[in-house]
Every structure is written in C-alpha cells, then in structure tokens.
C-alpha cells in the first residue's frame, strides 16, 4: 500500500462486508492464515506512518496467487511498509525477484527492514523510489508473472494498461482496495476515486483478453489472468 488515501484503515474492514455475508464467517476467513511478528511489526510501522496496508485476507490471496502462478518476476506498485510485498515474496519461487515501486522513500526503507527481518535475501527484491507510472513504463514487456497495484486509484486504469504490456501470457494482475468500504457498490457515491474504481472494474470485466474475478477479501481484490491465446 503506497498511500494512506488508497483505502481505509484496518478498523474499517468490517464496513466492507456485503449484506448477506455473515460477519463472523467473514472475520474467520480474513484471519484464516494468521500473521507472524514480522507482519505485525510492518502493520505497526504503517499505522505510525499513516499508511493503510492491505488486510490479512488480501495478503493471503496474494501469496496464493503468486504461488499458483509460479511467479519468478513480480511488480508491485505501492510498496508501503512491506506487508503486501512480503506476502508476494512468500508465495513466489525461491529464486524470484520482486520489483516494488513507491513515491515515498521512507516507506521503502521500512519495507526493506520488513523483508530483511523476514529473512528474505536482499537480492530477491529491488526497491525503486518514484512515481508508479514513471517507473513501470520503463520495465520490460512480457517479462513479468504478476503485477500488483495498490496506489493512486485515479491511475489504476493506466496501471492496467501497463500491466497488460508487462505480463507474459497467463500472467496475473491484481488491484487492492477495489470495494472502497462499500462505496463502489453504492451508486450514490460519485466522487472521483470511486468513479475511477468503477471505470477500472468495467475495463477489466469487458476485456476479452482477461479472465477476471472480484474477491471480497479485506476491502476487495480485483484479479485477472491474461489469456494464453
């Protein structure tokens, strides 16, 4: 998670539960995998820095997606303090490399500490400080297995365009915070961030080259696979 504005803090996660989903079951699923002291520490650093990290359910989903893809090369837009990056690294192949981008160099310093505290070798990640679109436009076409976006909501459609260029056939793209605390599903909310999320959802859903699913983990994870043909 790169910015505090990207989605709500942890104590607002339950506000995203849709009508009809039992809150106890949702909380059970959210905490299914549990989290260790390294992740707890990264969450504490995020709270101190005013950064809202992904929820536990989204972290577990990212690890699973990275493992399922056999991911060796992953791009993350929005480093935060390392919660999501560590989830990706833990699902990736042992020889995989995470490229993670954040406009805030202090966030990346904290993320580096998170990764090293978790025992991740320093050659398994590269931290690039800079604006997301400025950086990803310079990355190699068709080289990556997974692209994860958790940054400026209004740039998500542009991130999608870049992700499709970066991904190999069969590669995955994922966007965090997609339900925005219930705003996206409520047509009464028409602020620029919410409208941008709806535009992204439509763009992913309507792309014939993608197979997509919107998962109600934490505050929502929009996922899509790039078709092999």
């Amino acid at each position: 998670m790169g910015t505090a504005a990207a989605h709500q803090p942890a104590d607002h996660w339950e506000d995203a539960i849709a009508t009809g989903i039992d809150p106890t079951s949702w909380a059970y699923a959210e905490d299914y995998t549990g989290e260790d002291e390294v992740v707890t520490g990264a969450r504490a650093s995020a709270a101190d820095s005013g950064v809202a990290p992904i929820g536990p359910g989204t972290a577990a989903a990212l690890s699973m997606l990275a493992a399922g893809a056999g991911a060796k090369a992953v791009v993350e837009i929005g480093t935060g303090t390392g919660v999501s990056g560590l989830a990706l690294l833990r699902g990736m192949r042992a020889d995989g490399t995470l490229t993670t981008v954040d406009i805030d160099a202090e966030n990346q310093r904290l993320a580096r500490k998170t990764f090293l505290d978790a025992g991740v070798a320093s050659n398994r990640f590269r931290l690039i400080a800079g604006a997301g679109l400025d950086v990803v436009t310079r990355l190699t076409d068709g080289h990556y297995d997974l692209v994860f976006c958790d940054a400026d909501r209004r740039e998500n459609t542009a991130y999608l365009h870049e992700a499709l260029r970066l991904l190999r056939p069969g590669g995955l793209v994922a966007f965090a915070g997609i339900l925005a605390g219930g705003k996206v599903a409520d047509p009464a909310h028409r602020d620029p961030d919410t409208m941008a999320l709806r535009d992204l959802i439509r763009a992913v859903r309507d792309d014939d080259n993608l197979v997509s699913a919107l998962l109600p983990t934490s505050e929502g994870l929009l996922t899509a696979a790039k078709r092999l043909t």
Side-chain angles (χ1 to χ4, degrees):
M1 171 69 198
T3 63
H7 57 255
Q8 300 279 343
D11 60 348
H12 286 246
W13 291 335
E14 291 191 5
D15 293 339
I17 302 173
T19 301
I21 299 178
D22 175 65
T24 302
S25 297
W26 183 89
Y28 180 81
E30 189 72 7
D31 296 333
Y32 168 67
T33 58
E35 295 188 325
D36 61 21
E37 293 181 357
V38 176
V39 179
T40 301
R43 290 193 183 283
S45 295
D48 291 342
S49 302
V51 173
I54 60 170
T58 293
L62 288 180
S63 294
M64 183 273 294
L65 290 171
K72 183 176 181 180
V74 174
V75 174
E76 175 185 47
I77 306 171
T79 308
T81 60
V83 174
S84 53
L86 184 57
L88 290 164
L89 284 161
R90 285 176 165 171
M92 292 166 62
R93 288 170 40 170
D95 60 346
T97 301
L98 172 70
T99 298
T100 181
V101 183
D102 199 293
I103 200 166
D104 191 326
E106 175 61 14
N107 284 348
Q108 293 203 317
R109 184 190 70 79
L110 294 169
R112 177 184 295 275
K113 181 179 184 304
T114 295
F115 300 157
L116 295 177
D117 286 350
V120 178
S122 60
N123 65 350
R124 290 201 57 212
F125 57 88
R126 60 172 177 163
L127 299 137
I128 303 176
L133 287 176
D134 290 345
V135 175
V136 297
T137 53
R138 302 196 298 268
L139 299 180
T140 305
D141 292 12
H143 177 71
Y144 296 90
D145 304 299
L146 193 158
V147 177
F148 172 62
C149 306
D150 191 10
D152 188 338
R153 286 173 172 167
R154 300 185 201 185
E155 294 184 347
N156 271 342
T157 302
Y159 293 145
L160 173 64
H161 175 77
E162 292 300 323
L164 296 181
R165 177 183 63 81
L166 295 173
L167 288 171
R168 61 164 173 81
L172 304 173
V173 62
F175 293 85
I178 202 71
L179 297 176
K183 290 182 179 180
V184 168
D186 184 350
H189 289 280
R190 300 187 61 82
D191 59 278
D193 280 4
T194 302
M195 296 297 288
L197 289 174
R198 291 189 186 118
D199 288 344
L200 172 69
I201 291 168
R202 282 192 295 268
V204 170
R205 183 191 60 205
D206 296 343
D207 191 327
D208 291 337
N209 293 315
L210 296 174
V211 178
S212 62
L214 204 170
L215 310 178
T217 57
S218 304
E219 284 208 339
L221 183 68
L222 179 62
T223 61
K226 187 175 179 180
R227 290 185 185 273
L228 291 173
T229 57

